[in-house]
Amino acid sequence: ENAGRRPPRARPASFPAAPRRRGAALTPRSTGDAAAASPSSDEGGASASPSPPLPPPAGLIAGFVRGLRGRMAADANFPFKLGAEVTLDEFMTVLVNVGVRGNPTGWLLGDKLQVLCQMLTAAVNDIILVYCLAPVKDDETSGASAKKSDAPDIAHIFQEGDFSLAQRIGCYLAKGRFYALVGAVSCTFSMFLALALSGQMAKLTPEYLFRALMTGALHMGISANTRYQIVNGIERVLFSILPENVAKLASVATRLSNNLLGARLWIVMTTITGLA
C-alpha cells in the first residue's frame, strides 16, 4: 500500500545545486513527471512507477462492474431482476433435462457435461439480455467523456423518458441486431460442444452449423428481444404502482411465464429450421 509514497531524498553535500536556466519555467511535479523520470528504489525496494493499463480481460471486467453500478444507480431492483432471471432459467434447464434424461444419478459423464454446457450458455444469455436492456445512470466523470451528445440513451422501448417513436423503434432494431449476433454465436458454440461431448461429431456438417446459427439468431434477435422488451415494460408498471415486495413477486411470475413461453418458441424455431 505504501509503494506510492516516496521518502524525501537528501541532496549530497559534495554536489552543488544545478543552476536554473534563465527563462525556464518550473512546473509542479505530477504523476506524469514521475513516470518520465528514471525509477529510484526506496528502502523497501519498491519504485514509484505508474500503474500499467488494464489488459483486455481486466478492462472488460472493469467495464462490466462500472455498468453494474450505473444500472443499480438507475434501478435499485436491478440486482433482484438479474438474479431472478438467471435462477429461474437455470432451474428450468435442469428440470427439462431431468424430464428428458431421467434421474440425474444415472447420467453419464457426457450427459452431465452437456447439461453443464446448457446451463452456462443459458446464464450468459440471461445476463446479456437483462444487462443490456436495463437503463443506466452515468456518473459525472465517465458520462461526460464517453457520450458524444447530451441526448439520453434509451435502453428498451418502454423506458420512461421523452423519447420519440423513431428512437423507440430504433432501439428495438438495434437490440435485435445485437442479440441476433449473440444468439448465433452462443447457439453454434453450444451445439458444437453438445455433439463433441456426446461423440456425435459426424453430425457436425456445414449445413448443421448453419441451421444452429440461424436458429440462435432468430431466437435471440426476434423472440427473446421482443419478449424481454415487453417484460421490462411490464416491470416498469409493476414497480411503480405496487409495493416493492408485491412487485417483486409479480416480477418473478412475469419472468417465469416469459421463460415458459420462450421454451415453447424455441421448440417451434428448431422445428422450422430443422435443428430439432
Side-chain angles (χ1 to χ4, degrees):
E1 290 83 0
N2 298 325
R5 184 178 299 173
R6 301 187 56 162
R9 293 185 296 176
R11 186 182 299 277
S14 58
F15 294 95
R20 186 187 306 167
R21 291 186 300 174
R22 182 174 299 175
L26 183 62
T27 58
R29 190 169 185 83
S30 63
T31 307
D33 299 328
S38 59
S40 60
S41 301
D42 55 11
E43 293 179 357
S47 60
S49 59
S51 58
L54 293 174
L60 290 176
I61 295 175
F64 179 75
V65 173
R66 185 166 56 250
L68 283 178
R69 292 173 180 171
R71 284 158 175 81
M72 287 188 290
D75 181 8
N77 294 299
F78 172 75
F80 170 80
K81 296 175 182 177
L82 181 61
E85 180 65 33
V86 174
T87 302
L88 286 172
D89 207 2
E90 295 298 287
F91 177 76
M92 288 187 60
T93 301
V94 174
L95 191 63
V96 169
N97 277 278
V98 169
V100 172
R101 304 174 189 269
N103 192 338
T105 58
W107 291 356
L108 301 177
L109 178 61
D111 296 328
K112 296 178 181 178
L113 292 176
Q114 288 184 45
V115 174
L116 183 62
C117 176
Q118 293 176 15
M119 295 177 65
L120 179 61
T121 304
V124 171
N125 288 341
D126 291 337
I127 292 173
I128 293 175
L129 282 166
V130 179
Y131 183 91
C132 295
L133 286 175
V136 183
K137 182 178 180 181
D138 295 324
D139 55 20
E140 296 180 356
T141 56
S142 63
S145 59
K147 294 180 64 175
K148 297 180 180 180
S149 65
D150 295 333
D153 294 329
I154 179 171
H156 59 84
I157 59 177
F158 299 105
Q159 181 176 338
E160 184 177 5
D162 188 18
F163 300 106
S164 65
L165 180 61
Q167 286 178 299
R168 297 183 187 276
I169 295 176
C171 171
Y172 176 81
L173 296 177
K175 299 292 185 181
R177 289 193 298 268
F178 173 70
Y179 289 142
L181 177 61
V182 173
V185 174
S186 64
C187 182
T188 304
F189 180 70
S190 177
M191 291 299 177
F192 170 79
L193 285 182
L195 293 178
L197 294 174
S198 61
Q200 303 179 31
M201 291 297 291
K203 294 184 178 180
L204 194 63
T205 61
E207 179 183 359
Y208 184 88
L209 292 177
F210 177 76
R211 293 174 186 268
L213 187 146
M214 290 300 300
T215 304
L218 290 173
H219 177 69
M220 288 286 287
I222 297 179
S223 173
N225 181 37
T226 303
R227 288 183 290 105
Y228 280 87
Q229 296 269 4
I230 296 174
V231 166
N232 277 270
I234 294 175
E235 286 184 333
R236 173 191 161 188
V237 176
L238 292 176
F239 282 94
S240 63
I241 65 175
L242 297 176
E244 184 175 354
N245 292 334
V246 179
K248 287 182 177 180
L249 291 176
S251 173
V252 171
T254 302
R255 292 187 175 274
L256 179 60
S257 302
N258 174 54
N259 277 274
L260 293 173
L261 177 61
R264 297 300 302 175
L265 291 176
W266 167 259
I267 296 175
V268 172
M269 290 188 179
T270 56
T271 304
I272 294 175
T273 60
L275 189 65

